[in-house]
Each structure stands twice: as C-alpha cells, then as structure tokens.
C-alpha cells in the first residue's frame, strides 16, 4: 500500500480515493495524477457508484505539484508531454458528483484539485494557497480561472499575486469551500454527505452538475435554456415519476437510477 500513489475504497454507493504520498505531503506528480484519473473514470463508469470522495491525510490534502519532478523540465518537455492537460484535466470528464475532503495543506496544485471538485468540505485545519509566484511560476491547473469564479477577482488576485494562505474560516466566508467541519469529523461528515447524495437519482444528479457547470461557462440566457431542457428531460425519467409518486404517497422513494 505504501508504494501505491492512491488508495481506492468502495463502501455502498460511494467511492473514496485517498492520495497516498504522506512523506511528500501528497505532492502531485504524473504517477498520482495518472492513477487518480484512471480511478475517477472507473468509478464514474460503475453503475453502483453515485458519488466520489477525494481526500488526503490529516497533514495535507496535497501540498502542490511535485517540484522535484519538474525542476529540470524544459518548455519542449512540458509541451510535448501535454503537461497538466493530459492527466490533471481528467476530472472534468467525470459526470458524477465529486467531493473534496480537505484537511491540512491544500497548496498550489492541491488547491487547484480541490477547486476542480464539485463540493469542498474543509476541516478547520485546512489551509489554502496558490504560492506559484514564489517560484516565478503561475497556477496552471485552473487556479487563475476557477478561483476568481469561486471567490471573486479581488481575493483571487490577492492569493495569486501575494501567495498568502487562506485558512478554512476565511475560505468558507468567501466561497472557496462548501462547509467547514471539525478536523476529527472530516471523514464522517464527508461520507455522510456523499452517502446522502449517492442515494438520490443518479441521472438527476448528473443533470444538476452539468447545469451548474454550464452556469460558470455561458451567458445567463444560454444557461437558463440549458437548465429548462434538463428539467423537461426529467419527465422522461422513471426516477422522477417514482419521486413524485412517493411524495404524494408519503413514503421514501426507491430510485433505480434511470
């Protein structure tokens, strides 16, 4: 297990992926991102999975990209290997809800990985930063694009240009994270949320995720039109009919995820 860059566990309808480089504070290298992408796609294709959790350990979610691996790369090295795009962006192909459970440091690429998830649950020990400027670099895994959308231009500029660290309480206040929980409760709270989400109709969950993501990337008019078509499509869903019948009959719905 110590040699595996990630650990994957399935419990009920929830798949959990744990970053597993504790000696390197879960620094993200190609081996980690390849394994993470493969596991995400495998869980996404599994009809028995309704939600996915990505987590690290108590000290670090992920302390950024592995600088030791990159120090001697040239422009041609990263260009020809399609650095970042080839494997870091795999998470964008996942249609099921993905939850980041963050404790300790989420720095650089670790912060960007959390931002790429759908929900971020932060332990009160969590710390977020994009310190690439200290290396004369810039956040290149979506940080300069997702962070302003999450917390606004002023705060994003502050974090990116000054490398300052944002604690969990401030991250919650400005919308970088979805909620903050006590560190000792992070796993339980994350699994409770993941199980709750996974219990809903999977096609409806995917439609909601797609609609919210569309709001980030298009105009309001186009987003509303997209949302309306998704709503209309729910009326072709067996689960939607079951959900409405169960409501009228005052019972818990039994979803078959179709």
């Amino acid at each position: 297990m110590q040699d595996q860059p990630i650990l994957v566990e399935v419990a009920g309808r929830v798949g959990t992926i744990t970053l597993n480089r504790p000696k390197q504070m879960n620094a993200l290298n190609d081996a980690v991102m390849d394994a993470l992408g493969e596991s995400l796609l495998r869980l996404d294709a599994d009809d028995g999975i309704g939600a996915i959790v990505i987590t690290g350990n108590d000290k670090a979610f992920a302390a950024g990209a592995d600088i030791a691996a990159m120090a001697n790369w040239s422009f041609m090295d990263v260009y020809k290997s399609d650095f970042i795009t080839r494997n870091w962006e795999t998470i964008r192909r996942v249609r099921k809800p993905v939850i980041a459970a963050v404790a300790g440091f989420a720095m650089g690429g670790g912060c960007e990985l959390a931002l790429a998830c759908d929900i971020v649950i932060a332990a009160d020990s969590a710390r977020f930063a994009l310190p690439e400027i200290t290396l004369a670099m810039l956040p290149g895994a979506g940080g300069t694009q997702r962070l302003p959308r999450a917390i606004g231009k002023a705060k994003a500029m502050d974090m990116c240009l000054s490398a300052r660290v944002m604690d969990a309480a401030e991250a919650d206040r400005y919308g970088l994270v979805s909620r903050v929980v006590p560190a000792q409760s992070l796993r339980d709270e994350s699994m409770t949320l993941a199980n709750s989400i996974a219990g809903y109709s999977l096609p409806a969950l995917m439609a909601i995720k797609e609609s919210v993501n569309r709001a980030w990337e298009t105009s309001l008019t186009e987003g509303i039109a997209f949302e309306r078509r998704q709503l209309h499509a729910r009326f072709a869903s067996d689960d939607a009919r079951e959900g409405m019948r169960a409501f009228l009959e005052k019972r818990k719905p039994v979803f078959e995820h179709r």
Side-chain angles (χ1 to χ4, degrees):
M1 290 177 59
Q2 293 179 345
D3 296 331
Q4 299 177 28
I6 65 168
L7 303 174
V8 181
E9 177 185 359
V10 173
R13 289 185 54 79
V14 176
T16 301
I17 301 172
T18 303
L19 305 175
N20 187 42
R21 300 186 74 207
K23 292 182 180 179
Q24 296 82 19
M25 302 287 280
N26 291 331
L28 304 172
N29 60 13
D30 271 342
V32 173
M33 299 312 294
D34 285 343
L36 176 62
E38 290 168 6
S39 296
L40 283 168
L41 294 180
R42 185 169 65 252
L43 293 170
D44 198 39
D46 186 340
D47 289 340
I49 298 296
I52 302 167
V53 176
I54 301 175
T55 192
N57 56 46
D58 292 342
K59 293 183 179 180
F61 175 70
D66 191 338
I67 305 303
M70 302 189 300
N72 295 319
W73 287 353
S74 68
F75 167 77
M76 199 53 64
D77 291 329
V78 296
Y79 181 70
K80 289 174 68 177
S81 68
D82 207 15
F83 178 51
I84 300 293
T85 307
R86 182 182 66 81
N87 47 13
W88 289 62
E89 291 291 307
T90 305
I91 194 169
R92 296 184 64 190
R93 295 161 54 190
V94 178
R95 301 177 69 194
K96 294 174 181 175
V98 180
I99 299 168
V102 179
F105 295 111
M107 303 292 179
C111 182
E112 290 172 302
L113 175 58
L115 284 167
C117 295
D118 303 309
I119 296 174
V120 182
I121 300 183
D124 51 17
S125 65
R127 299 292 183 269
F128 300 87
L130 291 172
E132 287 84 353
I133 188 61
T134 65
L135 306 176
M137 298 291 281
L138 61 83
T144 65
Q145 303 304 302
R146 292 190 179 99
L147 190 63
R149 288 168 166 80
I151 68 174
K153 177 183 175 181
K155 286 287 180 181
M157 281 289 194
D158 190 358
M159 289 183 70
C160 291
L161 296 178
S162 74
R164 82 174 184 88
V165 178
M166 183 177 285
D167 64 23
E170 188 177 9
D172 184 37
R173 193 159 62 246
Y174 287 102
L176 195 158
V177 305
S178 310
R179 61 182 79 176
V180 177
V181 301
Q184 64 271 22
S185 303
L186 177 63
R187 181 173 178 84
D188 289 343
E189 294 278 359
S190 300
M191 291 304 296
T192 296
L193 175 61
N195 277 296
S196 174
I197 290 172
Y200 296 125
S201 166
L202 182 55
L205 291 171
M206 293 192 297
I208 291 170
K209 174 173 175 172
E210 197 172 2
S211 297
V212 173
N213 282 334
R214 184 61 64 100
W216 274 43
E217 298 169 1
T218 63
S219 68
L220 178 60
T221 298
E222 183 177 342
I224 289 290
F226 184 85
E227 175 194 78
R228 201 60 36 78
R229 292 297 173 260
Q230 291 284 7
L231 173 64
H232 293 169
R234 293 301 89 224
F235 287 87
S237 163
D238 292 343
D239 283 347
R241 281 189 287 274
E242 163 62 10
M244 288 185 279
R245 279 197 300 265
F247 176 82
L248 294 173
E249 295 168 7
K250 296 181 172 57
R251 60 175 175 82
K252 185 176 180 179
V254 180
F255 295 126
E256 296 184 357
H257 308 291
R258 61 187 188 188

